[in-house]
């Protein structure tokens, strides 16, 4: 979460107002007045010789007139300047002889006399002194311009140091810091530490003819910036995965239709005569009735014809080896049992691995058996690849319960064979039900160990800023044409100091942004380049600044420069570039009442990101086992039948192609005969159902426990992305505006420091666009006393800012600010009030915020400041300072929140209070400040601000 508070609004308004350069001093005090110089040359006895020597040395020794006062303050309003003449030799010095300084062809060269050598050395020394004086005038003029109009001179990249620090006539080194130490948590220490060196010899400023003013600054910059925090977490866990199956089947015995049952047997001692016969026809041809003629008259009183015998009913009975165990093979297909199968069947027999696995809880199932059964775990975390593809082995319907007629051998055994062993029945059972997958449950995790490491990433950069400007006053109209080209090519590395690693992707990203500035270094704008070359040659020749020839008065020039400076201030305030590597300002015209600039900019755009990468490795792959079996394998089936003989003529059964008959004659000692006849055509066996239906609702669960290692790589921070920006800014009267359109790109949008694949974090695009718009209206009223001198200034500033980007999210939200600033300033005190409202998309404190900033200060160095923010929660900050010496202020602060930097700044509720020590730079608003505080979130120390030396 990015911190967006009222402090931001406060800084934007007041930093920008610093460009207005309001001043209650009299206008006559605005300009820097050069000290008048009086230089007079005394004539000596050898005037002729001295003039000749100085002429040969290219110096003009005509009598100087008194220098007029000149102005350096206004980005080159230098009216007139002439170089200080060389100092002549002292009166008492012996003068050189004539015609010895420059030898002629007619007079051979002779060695210089001692006096001649002394004079030559003095002349050379005088020339060097003259150039040194001229360079000092140049550097002083540049410094004064930078003090008054810092955004016009602007030598840096808007990141390395505050431009108000630039004072080339006094200092060459500049730093900017933001260092914080929190003893209550692992906050980053270095948020920013930057350094720049601008050697005096590389700064240049000159006034040419045609009202041209050229300015050039060069330097070297380096810095270290916090880019974010990487957190690596490694966890070992047991992952329990479960998947379940539902099995169901139902069987019904189809009733047999017959008319009567008959048969009875009585035995004694008989003689036996047996006669048998058989007819076998080709298959498909029914056999006729077999008739046996034994010669015995059945009507004889001594002959008793016994009833037809009852056939062996076992072949039609379930509980018979000839019946159920034989799968009713002895029965005709037409009178075999018929079963209604209610559901299809799914074959899970491969789970038993050719009977090597028992169907009981805890039994381990090999992976090959799972695959053969069509069961796939897939990814144990995401479920990808999970599936159940076991084949359907039979379909429901009415089927003949007989081997060869039933289409599922396993279900047939379960249905009618009571002689199966339990292991056999278990094997057949897994192909007797319809098994439906109930899917995979959410995995259950059990953490075994966890470790976490954090490290900070920083961006290091070096660059070479080079700024070239041309300001040309119109000789007729009161206006100026401004052109500028700025380049700061460089290199950038994203590094982790903890393990001395470098992120190549982000290093390339930020380096590309800096190298884009090299394009502007290579561009040679003729009027700027030629002007600089011409000016440097004039300095080398010892020439002077050329006076400006313009109808604009010094006051109008100040107004033009002030307006241009303000325009650049708002342009930089609205820019979407964190670090500028190149700028080209098209020739822009500025008048005292109107300005308009158009720029192409390159550099790095800062985007906050939160990336999270998860990598999972299986450390120990677990075995799959039966974890829960609620089966009917012990009670489902068989359906039971008992064989019943039925007269064949009473049925609709067609005779088969075989027929047989037998007649047995029994004779006892008394001569009685008993005849027993059997004919296959007389009767048949029909199985009578006893247990006529069965139903199975089963549940089976498979489980595996894997040991996995999970690494979470998190990065919270910012990326510096190469960007090209088009910016337009300007003003008309009191109205000011600035708008830009930028496009940035990322060579790998899925990568961040320490994260190679952002598979769980906020997604980022490869290409993005943004636009920022800023409007304000600055109305200043000056109150005068009876003597027409200013006694107070009232400033009114309505302000609107809108920031939009094509990849808006909680870290880079769409936002808009609307505020109104009232500022009152008198000689002894001043105060300001700035209420406002803000809309910030996806803000943790609410999307709509009420903001208020206030400040009160006195001429004795007392200063009070307050910031308020009203949203879902109320946050405040109060600060009081008192100047205790010329440049030192001390005070206290109180606020009800703290800022934690764990890659991205986040606000933590809780009171925080402490002391402030501040070193102020008296000529501008720049300071370096130390805060030491404590509170509910612990002790902290913060050093922030810029410094020069």
């Amino acid at each position: 979460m990015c911190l967006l508070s009222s402090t931001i609004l406060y800084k934007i308004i007041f930093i920008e107002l610093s460009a207005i350069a309001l001043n209650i001093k009299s206008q006559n005090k605005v300009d820097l007045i050069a000290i008048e110089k009086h230089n007079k040359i005394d004539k000596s006895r050898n005037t002729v010789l001295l003039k000749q020597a100085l002429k040969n040395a290219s110096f003009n020794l005509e009598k100087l007139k008194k220098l007029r006062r000149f102005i350096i303050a206004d980005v080159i309003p230098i009216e007139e300047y002439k170089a200080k003449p060389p100092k002549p030799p002292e009166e008492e010095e012996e003068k050189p002889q004539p015609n010895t300084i420059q030898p002629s062809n007619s007079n051979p060269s002779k060695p210089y006399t001692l006096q001649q050598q002394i004079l030559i050395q003095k002349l050379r020394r005088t020339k060097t002194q003259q150039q040194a004086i001229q360079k000092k005038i140049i550097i002083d003029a540049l410094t004064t311009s930078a003090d008054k109009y810092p955004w016009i001179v602007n030598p840096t990249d808007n990141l390395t140091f505050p431009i108000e620090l630039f004072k080339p006539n006094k200092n060459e080194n500049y730093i900017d810091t933001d260092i914080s130490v929190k003893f209550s948590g692992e906050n980053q220490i270095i948020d920013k530490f930057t350094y720049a060196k601008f050697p005096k010899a590389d700064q240049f400023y000159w006034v040419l003819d045609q009202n041209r003013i050229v300015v050039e600054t060069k330097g070297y910059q380096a810095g270290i910036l916090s880019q974010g925090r990487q957190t690596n977490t490694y966890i070992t866990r047991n992952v329990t995965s479960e998947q379940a199956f539902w099995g169901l089947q139902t069987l019904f015995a189809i009733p047999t239709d017959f008319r009567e049952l008959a048969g009875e047997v009585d035995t004694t001692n008989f003689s036996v005569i047996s006669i048998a016969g058989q007819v076998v026809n080709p298959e498909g041809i029914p056999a006729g009735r077999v008739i046996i003629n034994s010669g015995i008259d059945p009507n004889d009183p001594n002959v008793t014809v016994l009833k037809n015998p009852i056939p062996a009913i076992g072949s039609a009975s379930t509980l018979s080896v000839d019946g159920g165990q034989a799968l009713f093979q002895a029965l005709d297909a037409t009178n075999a049992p018929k079963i209604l199968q209610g559901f299809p069947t799914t074959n899970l027999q491969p789970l038993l691995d050719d009977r090597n696995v028992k169907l009981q809880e805890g039994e381990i199932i090999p992976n090959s058996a799972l695959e053969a059964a069509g069961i796939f775990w897939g990814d144990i975390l995401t479920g990808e690849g999970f599936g159940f593809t076991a084949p359907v082995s039979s379909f429901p319907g009415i089927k003949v319960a007989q081997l060869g007629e039933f289409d599922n051998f396993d279900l047939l055994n379960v249905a009618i064979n009571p002689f199966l062993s339990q292991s056999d029945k278990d094997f057949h059972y897994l192909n007797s039900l319809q098994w439906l997958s109930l899917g995979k449950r959410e995995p259950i995790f059990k953490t075994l160990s966890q470790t976490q490491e954090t490290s900070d990433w920083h961006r290091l950069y070096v660059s070479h800023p080079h700024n070239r400007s041309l300001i040309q006053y119109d000789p007729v109209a009161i206006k100026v044409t401004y052109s500028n080209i700025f380049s700061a090519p460089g290199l950038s590395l994203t590094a982790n100091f903890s393990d001395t690693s470098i992120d190549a992707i982000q290093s390339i990203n930020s380096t590309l942004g800096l190298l884009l500035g090299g394009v502007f270094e290579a561009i040679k704008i003729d009027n700027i380049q030629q002007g600089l070359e011409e000016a440097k040659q004039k300095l080398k020749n010892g020439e002077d600044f050329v006076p400006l020839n313009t109808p604009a008065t010094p006051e109008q020039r100040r107004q033009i420069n002030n307006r241009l400076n303000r325009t650049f201030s708002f342009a930089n305030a609205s820019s979407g570039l964190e670090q500028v590597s190149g700028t080209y300002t098209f020739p822009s015209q500025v008048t005292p009442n109107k300005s308009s600039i158009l720029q192409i900019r390159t550099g790095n755009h800062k985007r906050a990101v939160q990336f999270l990468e998860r990598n999972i490795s299986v450390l120990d792959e677990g075995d799959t086992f039966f974890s829960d079996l609620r089966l009917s394998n012990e009670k489902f089936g068989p359906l039971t039948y008992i064989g019943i003989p039925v007269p064949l003529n009473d049925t609709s059964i067609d005779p088969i192609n075989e027929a047989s008959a037998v007649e047995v004659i029994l004779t006892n000692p008394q001569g009685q005969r008993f005849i027993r006849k059997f004919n296959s055509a007389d009767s048949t066996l029909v199985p009578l159902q006893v247990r006529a239906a069965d139903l199975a609702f089963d549940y089976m669960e498979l489980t595996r426990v894997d040991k996995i290692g999970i690494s979470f790589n998190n990065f919270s921070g910012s990326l510096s992305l190469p960007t090209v920006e088009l910016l337009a800014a300007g003003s008309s009267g009191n109205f000011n505006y600035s708008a830009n359109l930028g496009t940035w790109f990322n060579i790998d949008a899925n990568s961040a420091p320490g994260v190679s694949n952002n598979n769980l974090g906020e997604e980022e695009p490869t290409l993005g666009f943004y636009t920022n718009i800023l409007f304000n209206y600055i109305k200043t009223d000056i109150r005068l006393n009876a003597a027409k001198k200013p006694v107070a200034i009232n400033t009114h500033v309505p302000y609107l800012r809108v920031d939009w980007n094509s990849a808006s999210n909680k870290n880079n939200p769409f936002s808009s600010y609307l505020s109104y600033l009232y500022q009152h300033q008198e000689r002894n005190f001043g105060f300001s009030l700035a209420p406002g409202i803000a809309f910030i998309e996806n803000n943790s404190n609410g999307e709509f915020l009420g903001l208020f900033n206030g400040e009160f200060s006195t001429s004795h160095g007392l200063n009070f400041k307050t910031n308020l923010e009203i949203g879902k929660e109320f946050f405040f900050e109060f600060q009081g300072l008192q100047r205790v010496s010329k440049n030192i202020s001390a005070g206290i602060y109180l606020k009800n929140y703290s800022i934690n930097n764990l890659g991205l700044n986040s606000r933590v509720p809780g009171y925080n209070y402490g002391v402030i020590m501040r070193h102020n730079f008296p000529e501008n608003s720049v300071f370096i400040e130390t805060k030491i505080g404590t509170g509910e979130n612990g002790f902290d120390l913060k050093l922030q601000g810029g410094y020069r030396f």
Side-chain angles (χ1 to χ4, degrees):
M1 178 191 72
C2 296
L3 174 64
L4 294 169
S5 70
S6 57
T7 304
I8 297 177
L9 180 60
Y10 174 83
K11 288 184 178 179
I12 290 174
I13 293 175
F14 282 91
I15 289 176
E16 291 167 355
L17 280 177
S18 67
I20 301 172
L22 299 176
N23 196 332
I24 62 174
K25 296 180 181 179
S26 64
Q27 296 298 326
N28 293 331
K29 299 295 184 178
V30 173
D31 298 330
L32 176 65
I33 307 300
I35 300 175
E36 296 183 0
K37 298 177 178 62
H38 300 268
N39 295 285
K40 185 176 181 181
I41 301 176
D42 296 330
K43 295 181 180 180
S44 66
R45 289 174 297 177
N46 296 315
T47 305
V48 176
L49 177 62
L50 181 58
K51 285 184 178 181
Q52 180 65 31
L54 294 176
K55 180 178 180 181
N56 291 336
S58 300
F59 291 101
N60 185 7
L61 291 180
E62 62 179 291
K63 186 178 179 180
L64 290 178
K65 55 185 175 181
K66 181 179 177 181
L67 288 176
R68 297 197 303 268
R69 296 194 307 176
F70 63 91
I71 301 172
I72 302 180
D74 298 307
V75 183
I76 315 330
I78 294 182
E79 303 296 346
E80 182 179 350
Y81 177 75
K82 291 186 177 181
K84 183 177 179 180
K87 183 179 179 181
E90 300 295 335
E91 289 285 346
E92 65 273 17
E93 289 183 352
E94 185 177 352
K95 300 173 180 55
Q97 297 298 320
N99 300 323
T100 59
I101 296 179
Q102 182 177 0
S104 65
N105 294 332
S106 61
N107 189 17
S109 300
K110 296 181 180 180
Y112 293 130
T113 65
L114 178 62
Q115 290 80 4
Q116 290 173 335
Q117 292 177 5
I118 293 174
L119 178 61
I120 291 173
Q121 291 176 359
K122 287 188 176 183
L123 292 175
R124 289 174 178 171
R125 188 163 53 248
T126 300
K127 182 177 180 180
T128 302
Q129 292 173 348
Q130 178 191 2
Q131 289 183 340
I133 293 172
Q134 184 76 314
K135 289 180 179 179
K136 185 177 185 306
I137 295 298
I138 289 174
I139 205 73
D140 286 343
L142 179 62
T143 300
T144 305
S145 297
D147 284 343
K148 281 182 166 292
Y149 311 108
W151 290 104
I152 297 178
V153 178
N154 192 3
T156 184
D157 55 7
N158 294 356
L159 172 68
T160 303
F161 66 92
I163 61 171
E164 293 86 356
L165 276 179
F166 188 58
K167 205 171 186 68
N169 67 344
K170 290 187 177 181
N171 305 105
E172 293 185 343
N173 303 283
Y174 307 89
I175 62 172
D176 193 28
T177 63
D178 190 350
I179 299 175
S180 61
V181 178
K182 273 188 169 296
F183 296 93
S184 58
E186 297 181 353
N187 283 254
Q188 295 192 85
I189 296 177
I190 300 178
D191 190 60
K192 178 182 181 182
F193 185 86
T194 53
Y195 168 78
K197 182 177 180 64
F198 284 81
K200 293 181 181 180
D202 292 338
Q203 319 313 312
F204 188 72
Y205 174 95
W206 198 267
V207 184
L208 293 164
D209 56 359
Q210 300 177 8
N211 297 324
R212 292 175 297 158
I213 302 165
V214 290
V215 181
E216 182 180 39
T217 60
K218 288 183 182 179
Y220 303 92
Q221 299 180 148
I224 175 172
L225 306 170
S226 170
Q227 192 153 3
R229 169 160 293 188
Q230 173 188 350
T231 303
N232 296 332
T233 304
Y234 187 76
I235 304 172
T236 57
R237 287 176 173 174
N238 278 343
V239 183
T240 301
S241 304
E242 297 175 337
Q243 60 175 309
F245 300 89
W246 179 32
L248 66 163
Q249 189 58 270
T250 181
L251 298 175
F252 295 95
I254 302 300
T256 302
D257 185 17
F258 60 91
R259 295 187 179 177
E260 71 180 48
L261 300 174
E264 183 177 329
V265 177
D266 187 14
T267 62
T268 183
N269 293 326
F270 294 99
S271 64
V272 178
I273 299 175
S274 298
I275 303 170
Q278 183 181 37
V279 176
V280 179
N281 287 340
E283 188 170 344
I285 300 176
R289 182 181 182 84
V290 177
I291 300 174
I292 297 178
N293 187 1
S294 63
I296 297 176
D297 184 4
N299 298 319
D300 188 330
N302 292 322
V303 175
T304 301
V305 179
L306 301 176
K307 295 181 178 180
N308 287 334
I310 299 176
I313 62 175
S315 59
S317 299
T318 301
L319 300 176
S320 171
V321 294
D322 297 326
Q325 186 176 11
L327 304 180
F328 295 121
Q329 296 183 74
L331 298 179
D332 297 336
T334 51
N335 64 333
K338 292 179 176 58
I339 295 176
L340 172 61
Q341 177 184 333
F343 298 95
T345 56
T346 308
N347 189 5
L348 292 185
Q349 286 177 337
L351 290 178
L352 298 184
D353 191 30
D354 291 333
R355 303 177 187 262
N356 292 318
V357 176
K358 296 179 181 180
L359 189 60
Q360 62 186 32
E361 294 181 3
E363 281 289 300
I364 296 175
I365 306 168
N367 289 334
S368 59
L370 286 171
E371 295 178 5
I375 298 174
F376 302 93
W377 285 105
D379 190 298
I380 60 176
L381 295 176
T382 65
E384 184 179 356
F386 172 82
F388 177 58
T389 60
V392 175
S393 54
S394 66
F395 295 93
I398 298 176
K399 305 178 181 181
V400 177
Q402 188 179 49
L403 184 64
E405 299 293 334
F406 206 96
D407 60 354
N408 186 332
F409 175 77
D410 298 296
L411 178 57
L412 178 62
N413 272 279
V414 171
I416 62 175
N417 187 357
F419 295 96
L420 295 173
S421 65
Q422 189 58 48
S423 62
D424 288 339
K425 186 174 182 181
D426 291 344
F427 181 78
H428 293 307
Y429 189 76
L430 290 183
N431 189 26
S432 298
L433 276 67
Q434 180 183 19
W435 296 102
L436 302 173
S437 175
L438 298 179
K440 183 181 177 183
R441 290 198 181 104
E442 287 294 323
I444 301 173
F445 297 92
K446 181 181 179 181
T447 300
L448 304 177
S449 65
Q450 179 172 329
T451 59
Q452 188 174 82
E453 296 179 351
T454 60
S455 57
D456 296 327
W457 288 85
H458 291 84
R459 181 165 78 88
L460 296 88
Y461 71 90
V462 293
S463 65
H464 176 49
H466 183 197
N467 197 16
R468 293 159 285 172
S469 301
L470 172 64
I471 301 173
Q472 186 169 15
Y473 287 89
D474 194 283
V476 178
I478 302 175
K479 66 178 181 179
V480 69
T481 300
Y482 176 86
S483 302
N484 170 265
I485 188 163
F486 169 80
S487 64
L491 299 175
S492 178
L493 287 178
T494 296
N496 187 331
F497 298 145
S498 299
D499 56 7
T500 64
S501 60
I502 293 176
D503 187 286
I505 298 297
Q506 300 311 318
S507 296
I508 293 173
N509 268 333
S510 54
T511 296
L512 281 176
L514 294 181
L515 290 179
L516 286 174
V519 176
F520 297 91
E521 180 66 22
I523 295 176
K524 304 298 181 183
I525 306 300
D526 290 342
N527 55 354
I528 298 179
Q529 188 65 25
Q530 292 174 1
L532 286 170
E533 292 174 356
E534 181 182 345
K536 291 178 181 179
Q537 184 61 42
K538 289 183 179 296
L539 172 64
K540 185 177 180 181
N541 295 338
E543 299 184 32
D544 303 332
F545 293 156
V546 178
L548 294 176
N549 180 20
T550 171
T553 65
E555 175 63 25
Q556 289 172 326
R557 289 198 297 271
R558 281 192 296 272
Q559 292 173 354
I560 289 174
N561 295 329
N562 198 27
R563 184 168 292 277
L564 182 60
N565 184 71
R566 184 193 309 173
T567 299
F568 278 119
S569 173
F570 288 122
N572 283 275
S574 69
S575 175
L577 294 177
E578 171 199 25
Q579 184 175 20
V580 179
S581 65
T583 300
Y584 174 61
T585 304
F586 292 90
S588 307
Q589 293 189 349
V590 184
T591 69
N593 297 312
K594 189 175 182 179
S595 66
S596 177
I597 64 169
L598 180 64
Q599 290 184 328
I600 294 178
R601 294 181 163 213
T602 61
N604 284 317
H605 173 69
K606 185 176 182 179
R607 238 186 115 71
V609 297
Q610 286 181 297
F611 279 11
L612 179 60
E613 175 184 13
R614 182 183 67 182
N615 295 311
I616 302 174
S617 59
V618 178
L619 305 178
D620 184 9
E621 186 172 327
D623 295 319
T624 302
F625 59 93
F626 292 114
S627 57
D628 191 0
L629 295 175
R630 285 174 270 172
L631 307 178
S632 303
N633 57 322
E634 296 183 358
K635 61 181 180 178
F636 183 74
L639 301 181
T640 55
Y641 296 88
I642 186 169
I644 303 297
V646 177
L648 186 61
N649 292 334
D650 294 337
T651 71
S652 60
I653 299 175
D654 294 327
I656 59 176
N657 63 322
E658 295 184 10
S660 60
V662 65
E663 183 173 310
V664 180
I665 302 170
L666 303 176
T667 304
N668 63 12
Q670 289 79 23
Q672 288 184 308
R673 294 180 176 179
F674 298 89
I675 299 175
R676 168 69 75 181
K677 296 181 179 181
F678 170 79
N679 196 299
S680 62
D682 289 337
S683 64
T684 186
L685 289 173
V686 176
L688 177 65
Q689 61 269 22
V690 177
R691 186 183 182 190
D694 211 344
L695 179 64
F697 281 98
D698 288 6
Y699 177 83
M700 178 170 60
E701 186 176 89
L702 305 182
T703 299
R704 63 181 284 181
V705 180
D706 299 276
K707 183 179 180 181
I708 63 173
I710 308 174
S711 63
F712 291 98
N713 300 325
N714 171 262
F715 175 79
S716 294
S718 61
L719 306 180
S720 295
L721 304 176
T723 304
V724 178
E725 181 180 275
L726 178 66
L727 183 146
S731 63
S732 179
N734 295 327
F735 176 73
N736 303 276
Y737 69 90
S738 177
N740 59 69
L741 176 64
T743 177
W744 53 264
F745 63 93
N746 190 341
I747 64 172
D748 186 353
N750 214 30
S751 172
V755 177
S756 59
N757 181 21
N758 179 36
N759 50 26
L760 291 180
E762 290 279 348
E763 293 185 2
E764 282 287 304
T766 301
L767 181 69
F769 302 89
Y770 67 82
T771 183
N772 305 308
I773 302 172
L774 183 153
F775 298 102
N776 73 9
Y777 184 87
I778 303 175
K779 177 65 175 176
T780 302
D781 297 322
I782 301 177
R783 289 171 49 192
L784 306 177
N785 59 12
K788 302 300 182 181
K789 293 184 178 181
V791 294
I793 298 177
N794 293 323
T795 305
H796 305 266
V797 185
Y799 174 95
L800 173 65
R801 175 170 182 147
V802 178
D803 299 327
W804 172 89
N805 73 87
S806 61
S808 176
N809 55 36
K810 67 178 182 179
N811 297 315
N812 305 276
F814 164 78
S815 62
S816 60
Y817 300 90
L818 177 63
S819 68
Y820 179 86
L821 168 69
Y822 172 73
Q823 187 176 46
H824 177 82
Q825 181 68 52
E826 295 188 14
R827 181 177 299 276
N828 296 322
F829 73 94
F831 67 90
S832 64
L833 304 173
I837 58 174
F839 173 81
I840 304 173
E841 187 179 21
N842 298 319
N843 186 43
S844 61
N845 197 31
E847 293 190 335
F848 288 95
L849 300 174
L851 307 175
F852 177 79
N853 309 115
E855 185 172 8
F856 175 82
S857 59
T858 70
S859 59
H860 301 291
L862 180 63
N863 177 272
F864 292 103
K865 187 184 298 183
T866 181
N867 299 318
L868 306 178
E869 177 182 319
I870 304 172
K872 293 180 180 178
E873 298 182 70
F874 174 71
F875 294 101
F876 67 83
E877 179 178 9
F878 300 108
Q879 177 179 295
L881 285 170
Q882 173 63 55
R883 187 173 66 241
V884 295
S885 66
K886 180 180 179 181
N887 297 328
I888 303 297
S889 298
I892 60 174
Y893 73 90
L894 169 67
K895 56 185 180 180
N896 66 341
Y897 64 91
S898 297
I899 302 299
N900 284 345
N901 188 344
L902 301 177
L904 292 175
N905 285 341
S906 60
R907 185 165 48 191
V908 181
Y911 283 98
N912 184 273
Y913 48 89
V915 298
I916 306 172
M917 294 294 293
R918 176 182 293 182
H919 178 276
N920 300 279
F921 292 89
E923 66 273 14
N924 52 49
S925 59
V926 181
F927 58 85
I928 185 167
E929 180 179 85
T930 301
K931 284 185 176 181
I932 302 175
T934 187
E936 297 180 15
N937 296 299
F939 177 80
D940 58 79
L941 181 148
K942 188 175 185 67
L943 175 65
Q944 187 176 29
Y947 195 75
R948 63 174 178 243
F949 56 95

